[in-house]
Amino acid sequence: MKLIDRSNYLNKMINVIGTPDIKVLTGVRRSGKSKLLEAFKTHLQKNIQNANIIHINFNLSKYEKLKEYKALNEYIEGKYIEGKDNFILIDEIQMCTDFELCINNLHATEMYDIYITGSNAFLLSSDLATLFTGRTFEIKVYPFSFAEYVRYFELTDKYTAFDSYMLEGGMSGSYLYKEQEDKFDYIENIFDTLILRDIRQKYNIKNPALMDRISQFLMDNVSNLTSARSITDTLTSNKDKINHKTVGNYLNYLCNAFAFYKFRRYDINGKKYLTTNDKYYLSDHTFRYAKLGTKNLDSGRVIENIVAMELLRRGYEVYVGVLYKKEIDFVALKRSEKIYIQVSDNITLPETFKREVEPLLRIKDAYPKMVIARTRNPEYQYEGVKIVDVTDWLLGK
């Protein structure tokens, strides 16, 4: 498989070499964590002459005997070399029973620099503090961005490239297949046999069919305000016997596995977070096509999903804005930085342009305001609001 330099993630790993943290790569299945660990290993081999690299990939059968924490601990301690910089790189750590006991022991010795990846459902961001007694440094890995997609295929026509990216998405393993249906089969298989299987295994799900229906409901309602109660009401009308507490648990499981990301609502005027009705976005928008088909492409929602994930890639904390009963698609926060963003497929019609810009003009503070759409034109401003073509914004131009 062709590889590209994912320097934004690799640099994060390089920048924490030598720190006492346990470095943990998290993200949805098949987002590239294993390849990133291999790229980091190559960097160590090339740039740290004194490196002793202990690399274990539990996907390989030769490490089968290490799938018990005492055996793993003994193996690693046997590979330690005095006077060297000893690095531990472990892929799919959850395949080792009680892995946290081994990692905590090795970390406590202060003799190793530890980097691990694992199945999303078994290495949750929310669980890291309780799993590991030492401090963890989480590196969140996402599927390919549009910019990475362009680099991978060495594309020059950004508009045609974006049309392709909307259909093919960022699950790079699918790029090996020539036919679009085969690509979708691969992506659907990831969702069904890896993501949902992990969730069923970790949480002992008694009703996997219900989990599947809830995930499909979220896919069909990407960018719509959603709550556990509204999902319950919809599914109950279809004669599913469930309650909103069960649905709420399943929603959390899907987000914990990085299948979906929940964006809470934020009252811009009252400067407070709202507790009802959130929005859910897919970690990769093509899960929707693979599971539900492409009969209704709904470009506007897909573009909104792509922008949502790109904001997370860029390190923003993202909310859905509410102002005088009007909605702002995204309020993106990063330290002292704040950006208000509206997303649209097409703003050529005057009424559509007005609908997107008007809520931004009602915001009275001086933070940047932006409409991201498929304009196919250079950036311009309208009464202080930036109007930006989505491809230029995604490419960082």
Side-chain angles (χ1 to χ4, degrees):
M1 180 179 176
K2 178 180 177 181
L3 299 177
I4 64 168
D5 178 20
R6 306 190 80 185
S7 56
N8 53 332
Y9 300 115
L10 186 59
N11 287 338
K12 287 180 182 178
M13 299 176 72
I14 292 169
N15 288 339
V16 291
I17 289 175
T19 63
D21 309 328
I22 300 168
K23 293 81 169 180
V24 185
L25 277 64
T26 63
V28 70
R29 283 278 203 166
R30 295 294 190 265
S31 58
K33 300 187 295 292
S34 298
K35 295 299 182 184
L36 188 58
L37 201 64
E38 290 176 13
F40 181 65
K41 178 182 178 180
T42 300
H43 170 85
L44 295 177
Q45 292 170 331
K46 289 181 178 178
N47 296 280
I48 299 183
Q49 294 181 349
N50 201 38
N52 175 42
I53 303 169
I54 306 165
H55 184 201
I56 298 163
N57 183 348
F58 277 116
N59 284 316
L60 302 178
S61 59
K62 68 178 182 178
Y63 297 113
E64 186 71 31
K65 294 181 180 179
L66 303 183
K67 292 182 178 179
E68 185 275 328
Y69 82 94
K70 290 182 180 178
L72 178 62
N73 193 89
E74 183 178 345
Y75 174 84
I76 291 173
E77 288 184 340
K79 294 289 185 179
Y80 176 82
I81 299 178
E82 186 75 38
K84 292 271 192 178
D85 295 327
N86 288 269
F87 291 87
I88 298 173
L89 278 56
I90 305 179
D91 203 9
E92 299 292 354
I93 185 69
Q94 85 287 344
M95 295 175 74
C96 173
T97 306
D98 296 326
F99 62 86
E100 68 276 11
L101 299 177
C102 170
I103 297 301
N104 284 329
N105 176 65
L106 295 170
H107 180 259
T109 67
E110 300 182 0
M111 296 161 57
Y112 305 91
D113 204 347
I114 303 173
Y115 296 77
I116 61 175
T117 82
S119 160
N120 20 286
F122 291 87
L123 210 60
L124 309 178
S125 300
S126 56
D127 288 351
L128 294 181
T130 50
L131 275 174
F132 302 119
T133 54
R135 186 178 182 276
T136 57
F137 183 88
E138 184 180 5
I139 299 168
K140 299 175 182 178
V141 182
Y142 300 95
F144 271 26
S145 67
F146 175 58
E148 289 175 317
Y149 179 85
V150 168
R151 279 197 286 123
Y152 182 93
F153 287 107
E154 300 177 6
L155 303 173
T156 55
D157 183 337
K158 61 187 177 183
Y159 302 126
T160 303
F162 186 67
D163 291 341
S164 298
Y165 180 71
M166 286 185 66
L167 198 61
E168 296 192 352
M171 302 303 291
S172 57
S174 70
Y175 302 164
L176 298 177
Y177 298 90
K178 295 179 180 179
E179 299 298 326
Q180 189 60 57
E181 279 306 308
D182 294 334
K183 295 173 188 283
F184 285 152
D185 285 346
Y186 170 86
I187 293 167
E188 183 179 19
N189 184 262
I190 290 174
F191 198 91
D192 289 343
T193 64
L194 296 181
I195 297 172
L196 295 185
R197 184 194 64 188
D198 279 354
I199 295 171
R200 288 194 295 268
Q201 186 178 343
K202 180 176 174 66
Y203 299 105
N204 193 25
I205 299 296
K206 298 292 194 296
N207 190 346
L210 175 61
M211 169 70 75
D212 194 52
R213 281 195 288 276
I214 290 172
S215 67
Q216 290 190 32
F217 179 93
L218 290 180
M219 291 177 186
D220 199 32
N221 287 274
V222 159
S223 85
N224 283 346
L225 291 174
T226 304
S227 68
R229 192 170 293 279
S230 68
I231 296 174
T232 303
D233 291 343
T234 300
L235 296 181
T236 301
S237 69
N238 294 331
K239 299 182 180 180
D240 281 304
K241 294 181 179 180
I242 53 170
N243 59 64
H244 70 274
K245 185 176 179 181
T246 300
V247 172
N249 288 336
Y250 282 15
L251 289 175
N252 287 333
Y253 300 158
L254 287 164
C255 292
N256 285 342
F258 305 102
F260 293 88
Y261 288 82
K262 181 172 79 171
F263 287 26
R264 295 169 59 198
R265 291 195 302 155
Y266 176 77
D267 185 334
I268 295 170
N269 196 40
K271 297 182 179 179
K272 62 182 179 182
Y273 302 111
L274 303 175
T275 55
T276 58
N277 291 328
D278 306 302
K279 287 191 175 186
Y280 292 83
Y281 293 93
L282 277 161
S283 54
D284 190 80
H285 56 279
T286 49
F287 284 132
R288 185 176 191 235
Y289 295 156
K291 291 287 290 181
L292 305 183
T294 58
K295 185 177 180 180
N296 180 14
L297 291 175
D298 205 340
S299 299
R301 289 190 189 186
V302 172
I303 293 173
E304 190 173 321
N305 200 119
I306 290 170
V307 170
M309 293 309 301
E310 183 63 23
L311 288 168
L312 293 180
R313 280 189 195 92
R314 296 181 185 185
Y316 287 99
E317 186 180 344
V318 191
Y319 298 90
V320 176
V322 178
L323 181 68
Y324 307 119
K325 297 185 179 180
K326 294 283 186 178
E327 187 178 290
I328 310 296
D329 289 332
F330 301 121
V331 181
L333 309 173
K334 190 193 296 183
R335 298 184 180 87
S336 60
E337 184 182 359
K338 183 188 292 185
I339 309 172
Y340 300 106
I341 298 172
Q342 291 281 71
V343 182
S344 182
D345 179 19
N346 189 331
I347 54 173
T348 54
L349 293 175
E351 57 267 32
T352 307
F353 183 83
K354 181 181 178 182
R355 186 186 69 226
E356 298 297 344
V357 170
E358 205 170 54
L360 296 173
L361 295 177
R362 299 181 73 178
I363 302 172
K364 300 306 179 186
D365 64 39
Y367 289 106
K369 301 164 184 68
M370 181 186 304
V371 174
I372 299 174
R374 282 206 279 190
T375 67
R376 297 196 170 209
N377 288 308
E379 177 185 318
Y380 66 97
Q381 292 213 4
Y382 175 82
E383 295 187 18
V385 176
K386 288 183 180 180
I387 313 299
V388 184
D389 180 75
V390 63
T391 61
D392 288 336
W393 183 79
L394 290 169
L395 294 172
K397 295 180 181 178

